[in-house]
Amino acid sequence: MNILDQDIKYLPGVGPNRKKMLSNELGIETYGDLLEYYPYKYVDRSKVYTIHELTGDMPYVQVVGHILSFETFPMGPRKERVVAHFTDGTAIADLTWFNGGKYAKQNYKIGTKYLVFGKPTVFNNRINFTHPDLDDAAKTDLSSMGLQPYYNTTEKMKKSGLNSRAIERLTKVLIEKLPPLPETLPDFIIAERHLMGRDEAFRIVHYPQNAKDLERARVRLKFEELFYIQLNILRYASDQRRKYRGYVFSVVGHAFNTFYSNYLPFPLTEAQKRVIREIRKDMGSGRQMNRLLQGDVGSGKTLVALMSMLIAIDNGYQACIMAPTEILAEQHLQTIMAFLKDMDIRVALLTGIVKGKRRKEVLDGLMDGTIHILVGTHAVIEDTVQFARLGFVVVDEQHRFGVAQRAKLWSKSTNPPHVLVMTATPIPRTLAMTLYGDLDVSVIDELPPGRKPVRTTHVFDARMTSLYDGIRQQINEGRQVYIVFPLIEESEKSDLKNLEDGFEVLKQVFPEFRLSKVHGRMKPKDKEEEMQRFVSGETQILVATTVIEVGVNVPNASVMVILEAQRFGLSQLHQLRGRVGRGADQSFCILVTPYKLGEDTRKRIDIMCDTNDGFRIAEADLKLRGPGDLEGTQQSGMAFDLKIADIARDGQLVQMARDTAQPIIEEDPECRSDKYAILWKRLRELRKTNINWGVIS
């Protein structure tokens, strides 16, 4: 048995109770889990200060001296503050305990020399350390102190004595106990990438002597983590390509040409033309296409998807577009039918609400091939849905569908259909490489002609009166306005009340206008009616929650007001802003916040006001929030829990890992060569872990 698989309860100092706590709070079950529970910061313990040098704004420091006396101050029933007066001969400092003072009085002796470590503050004109660490100076070798690691722990753990120092001590016991760890990368990669050995990296990352060694250890461990993810994704993609032949669509015929000549609503942008060429090349190559199409809101992705579906129809095949929600599916249906006008192409809808006779008609039409394009939700992948010849599938907003769901579509066809995955959430390259590593990427990076960039401004909520005047002016010029309230699940009741109250206030502020109201808790029928009133222009103001984030298209709406904008993530703000600016008029997005904002929030608001570029916003979002939370809710696509690497900050390492893995897969696609045996063995071990590799790719 590998020593890293050993149950953590057998590590001296753990036992059954601590094992339960470590397992429940941090998911640490084995020696290996503890070894991979990395410090989140380090404090330099190599320097000793004198008390005389200290100021209240310094970070953690250490001093050596002895306790002169203890003093106790009562703090209500059964509570006391214990203060030790401490000196090193240059000045006196106070060591203060609000909890654990009894322990301090019993265990720390007056006159004994201690190494005190803590954060200095100033209280009563004297340097003060609250809850410092004390070590017997005679038993401490200062020359070997180096950088002290700090580990994240929970309140529950701290209460039971498992604080950062306790984790550090357990890790020390483990590292002293471990034999040299076997290498998991071949020598040629270690040499080529100038990496530290694995065993050394693990020991140094927990107990670094200096910052230079620490950086090298972290690079080694991050690289390995990212490399095996890339190796697995590329292996998976290579398998798919070898296993599945794609349909060859060699004809660009009647349907495509008729649409292009007679029905194209506006000239294609250069970016749209480029993407259609990339898709055509894939579809004619004889291998199954798996392509990710990224493009900002309003960049014309649906038109590109439709023209690609027409190529499938020209070659005698059916196409299908799958959307994550019924509202979005219906929006796609209306958009496609409006594009096709009176062309002889049958388009049908299949969602959970299509039932009975209508449903049977759709299922029959798919089976006999008379339906050319199916628009639907995940109802499309149910077993009862069978196609005559499915050749092309568009998946909209991919992050809401796993690979398993994509694979289900393949089984509806003798050969797997070509797949085009679309997203309006621009994904930074490093994240796309990791989340969608098995997909080729196309980007539409320009807006259709005549579109003016939306102007974004930040307004404090104390200035609502002038904001209302601006809204009134826009409506009097014939435009429509969205006013969005936050509706966050944790505080849904109070948020819903804010929306209801806000709606009443707005009715009083704008008695001359008609208002609609939409939120996710309404019945679909009522929601649809209210939306339709706004779309048709019957109401001038739509008061809503983020249900309008995806897929609502009202070219006449030119103002988006987002209340309490500080509560939204960047991607969400960007998606909401994309609801305006769809017509030829200048559009505005107004972010309303209270005056007092945290630093991160202020950065988010500034980025929104500075740029309309979805990719810049996504990069910033990734840096501010981390990859697991890009959608404002935990992203279902993120199946892997990176222990040390950070996709937002380690973009170069992600690229390096991919560049290292690519030639290996090309040289040994079946993973059999002895030259790479160490890699395939390690990959098999990793695939047995709790990482859901299937979802990653």
Side-chain angles (χ1 to χ4, degrees):
M1 178 185 170
N2 184 339
I3 190 164
L4 294 182
D5 296 333
Q6 176 73 269
D7 192 320
I8 195 72
K9 74 179 174 199
Y10 298 117
L11 185 71
V14 179
N17 290 345
R18 276 187 152 184
K19 144 94 192 246
K20 194 174 173 193
M21 180 71 73
L22 287 167
S23 169
N24 290 348
E25 296 296 299
L26 303 178
I28 293 175
E29 306 267 350
T30 64
Y31 284 10
D33 292 339
L34 181 60
L35 193 63
E36 290 189 334
Y37 191 67
Y38 299 107
Y40 71 95
K41 71 169 185 179
Y42 301 83
V43 172
D44 188 356
R45 296 289 305 260
S46 57
K47 180 169 168 56
V48 176
Y49 289 83
T50 62
I51 296 172
H52 179 67
E53 289 176 88
L54 302 182
T55 60
D57 56 3
M58 290 170 84
Y60 283 79
V61 297
Q62 54 193 3
V63 292
V64 174
H66 61 273
I67 294 170
L68 296 167
S69 61
F70 282 100
E71 209 173 340
T72 303
F73 302 90
M75 287 175 59
R78 293 203 303 262
K79 275 202 152 187
E80 58 183 24
R81 172 167 62 100
V82 172
V83 177
H85 303 299
F86 179 89
T87 185
D88 64 352
T90 67
I92 291 175
D94 287 341
L95 316 180
T96 305
W97 290 270
F98 293 97
N99 301 313
K102 194 173 165 191
Y103 173 90
K105 281 191 293 190
Q106 284 170 353
N107 288 276
Y108 301 135
K109 307 283 184 283
I110 289 171
T112 300
K113 225 174 189 189
Y114 289 109
L115 176 72
V116 169
F117 176 73
K119 168 90 180 71
T121 54
V122 175
F123 181 67
N124 284 344
N125 290 326
R126 189 182 274 186
I127 289 292
N128 183 67
F129 291 94
T130 304
H131 296 140
D133 288 338
L134 272 74
D135 291 299
D136 188 333
K139 294 178 186 168
T140 307
D141 175 11
L142 283 174
S143 65
S144 69
M145 289 293 277
L147 299 171
Q148 179 170 356
Y150 273 71
Y151 299 86
N152 274 317
T153 56
T154 64
E155 282 308 313
K156 213 170 180 181
M157 290 173 71
K158 285 174 192 154
K159 279 182 184 149
S160 68
L162 266 176
N163 57 9
S164 173
R165 279 304 288 278
I167 301 276
E168 185 197 335
R169 288 185 192 110
L170 292 177
T171 308
K172 192 165 194 172
V173 170
L174 173 63
I175 282 174
E176 284 165 359
K177 198 178 169 62
L178 285 179
L181 294 170
E183 192 44 79
T184 46
L185 292 175
D187 293 343
F188 77 89
I189 291 181
I190 292 173
E192 200 177 280
R193 298 300 183 189
H194 309 292
L195 298 171
M196 184 182 268
R198 180 175 182 242
D199 181 73
E200 189 186 6
F202 269 125
R203 293 172 198 272
I204 286 176
V205 84
H206 290 287
Y207 286 98
Q209 284 303 300
N210 55 60
K212 194 176 167 202
D213 286 352
L214 171 62
E215 183 53 25
R216 286 196 64 219
R218 284 171 62 81
V219 164
R220 157 64 210 237
L221 296 168
K222 286 176 176 189
F223 174 83
E224 177 171 338
E225 190 168 48
L226 295 166
F227 170 75
Y228 276 106
I229 287 174
Q230 292 300 334
L231 189 68
N232 192 68
I233 289 170
L234 293 169
R235 181 201 60 80
Y236 172 85
S238 159
D239 274 2
Q240 297 301 101
R241 289 196 182 111
R242 282 181 304 118
K243 207 183 293 176
Y244 296 112
R245 300 288 306 149
Y247 294 117
V248 178
F249 293 165
S250 51
V251 178
V252 175
H254 179 71
F256 184 93
N257 290 325
T258 304
F259 179 77
Y260 190 77
S261 306
N262 306 334
Y263 295 95
L264 198 63
F266 43 76
L268 295 176
T269 62
E270 286 308 312
Q272 284 173 312
K273 288 178 187 169
R274 184 186 68 238
V275 171
I276 291 170
R277 280 197 298 273
E278 287 167 353
I279 291 169
R280 271 187 59 184
K281 192 176 169 200
D282 281 356
M283 284 156 63
S285 70
R287 68 178 181 84
Q288 186 223 1
M289 177 177 84
N290 266 309
R291 189 167 280 282
L292 174 69
L293 175 56
Q294 290 186 274
D296 241 330
V297 177
S299 60
K301 293 185 300 297
T302 311
L303 183 59
V304 167
L306 173 61
M307 292 175 77
S308 308
M309 290 194 274
L310 293 176
I311 295 175
I313 292 165
D314 277 337
N315 285 272
Y317 287 86
Q318 294 160 294
C320 154
I321 180 163
M322 196 160 79
T325 64
E326 291 185 353
I327 281 190
L328 199 48
E330 284 175 26
Q331 184 94 31
H332 277 314
L333 180 79
Q334 285 159 10
T335 305
I336 287 168
M337 289 174 82
F339 277 146
L340 294 173
K341 296 196 172 72
D342 55 6
M343 277 181 73
D344 187 20
I345 288 175
R346 190 173 163 204
V347 185
L349 179 74
L350 188 67
T351 64
I353 53 174
V354 178
K355 292 191 167 69
K357 189 173 167 220
R358 249 180 87 206
R359 190 179 188 85
K360 186 176 183 309
E361 279 172 11
V362 172
L363 295 179
D364 290 348
L366 292 172
M367 277 291 282
D368 63 24
T370 53
I371 289 177
H372 302 103
I373 295 175
L374 178 69
V375 181
T377 54
H378 51 265
V380 168
I381 51 185
E382 288 167 9
D383 294 338
T384 50
V385 182
Q386 293 298 328
F387 293 79
R389 298 183 85 195
L390 178 63
F392 193 86
V393 174
V394 181
V395 183
D396 196 15
E397 292 303 332
Q398 147 71 12
H399 55 267
R400 314 199 183 183
F401 294 106
V403 167
Q405 287 172 303
R406 260 200 274 156
K408 259 192 124 167
L409 277 165
W410 297 356
S411 63
K412 296 187 180 294
S413 209
T414 36
N415 278 7
H418 295 295
V419 177
L420 181 68
V421 170
M422 298 198 302
T423 178
T425 309
I427 303 157
R429 258 186 83 257
T430 51
L431 190 58
M433 266 195 282
T434 311
L435 274 184
Y436 308 118
D438 64 323
L439 304 177
D440 300 310
V441 179
S442 289
V443 177
I444 301 182
D445 49 11
E446 58 181 309
L447 290 177
R451 287 278 177 93
K452 291 180 181 148
V454 179
R455 266 191 222 149
T456 306
T457 49
H458 176 203
V459 171
F460 293 119
D461 53 14
R463 301 200 49 221
M464 291 302 282
T465 313
S466 61
L467 175 60
Y468 292 149
D469 291 343
I471 290 173
R472 197 169 273 113
Q473 187 187 335
Q474 283 287 311
I475 297 174
N476 286 332
E477 286 174 18
R479 319 263 192 279
Q480 287 166 281
V481 176
Y482 295 101
I483 298 180
V484 176
F485 281 76
L487 179 54
I488 315 292
E489 276 169 26
E490 298 88 84
S491 52
E492 195 151 9
K493 277 204 174 91
S494 60
D495 278 349
L496 215 48
K497 189 172 180 337
N498 287 347
L499 177 109
E500 302 288 0
D501 294 349
F503 185 68
E504 293 307 318
V505 169
L506 289 164
K507 280 201 321 204
Q508 287 164 18
V509 173
F510 299 112
E512 70 272 41
F513 302 133
R514 289 190 297 280
L515 284 73
S516 289
K517 176 177 65 179
V518 175
H519 57 79
R521 301 293 293 273
M522 291 164 73
K523 290 186 178 131
K525 187 169 153 290
D526 297 343
K527 198 159 49 181
E528 193 54 43
E529 268 174 28
E530 287 290 291
M531 292 293 294
Q532 274 319 119
R533 288 176 64 213
F534 187 66
V535 171
S536 67
E538 188 190 325
T539 55
Q540 288 83 36
I541 299 174
L542 177 63
V543 179
T545 61
T546 53
V547 290
I548 61 157
E549 180 186 338
V550 175
V552 180
N553 187 4
V554 184
N556 191 47
S558 66
V559 182
M560 166 64 69
V561 178
I562 304 173
L563 301 173
E564 292 191 61
Q566 77 281 3
R567 291 179 60 191
F568 295 89
L570 262 176
S571 291
Q572 218 175 12
L573 289 171
H574 183 61
Q575 287 276 350
L576 286 167
R577 174 167 63 187
R579 296 300 111 218
V580 294
R582 294 175 159 250
D585 299 314
Q586 178 62 59
S587 291
F588 304 89
C589 175
I590 293 110
L591 308 175
V592 182
T593 72
Y595 190 72
K596 202 173 173 189
L597 295 174
E599 193 189 342
D600 271 5
T601 311
R602 201 171 284 281
K603 272 188 201 157
R604 278 210 302 274
I605 302 289
D606 288 348
I607 290 161
M608 284 297 295
C609 294
D610 287 349
T611 182
N612 282 305
D613 180 339
F615 287 92
R616 267 189 66 196
I617 286 166
E619 287 285 358
D621 205 16
L622 187 59
K623 286 202 166 85
L624 284 171
R625 286 142 58 91
D629 196 31
L630 263 191
E631 280 304 296
T633 57
Q634 201 59 27
Q635 191 167 320
S636 55
M638 292 298 287
F640 51 97
D641 176 16
L642 292 172
K643 298 209 166 65
I644 190 166
D646 176 336
I647 288 172
R649 291 172 181 83
D650 297 323
Q652 278 179 303
L653 278 175
V654 175
Q655 187 66 58
M656 188 162 103
R658 194 173 182 86
D659 292 346
T660 309
Q662 186 86 52
I664 293 169
I665 291 294
E666 283 168 9
E667 190 183 324
D668 185 17
E670 296 190 3
C671 312
R672 289 189 180 152
S673 162
D674 289 343
K675 180 180 171 186
Y676 303 121
I678 187 172
L679 298 178
W680 311 135
K681 177 175 178 280
R682 181 65 179 151
L683 203 53
R684 280 193 298 274
E685 286 167 8
L686 287 169
R687 289 177 70 83
K688 288 176 193 160
T689 64
N690 60 357
I691 296 175
N692 184 351
W693 291 95
V695 178
I696 293 173
S697 49

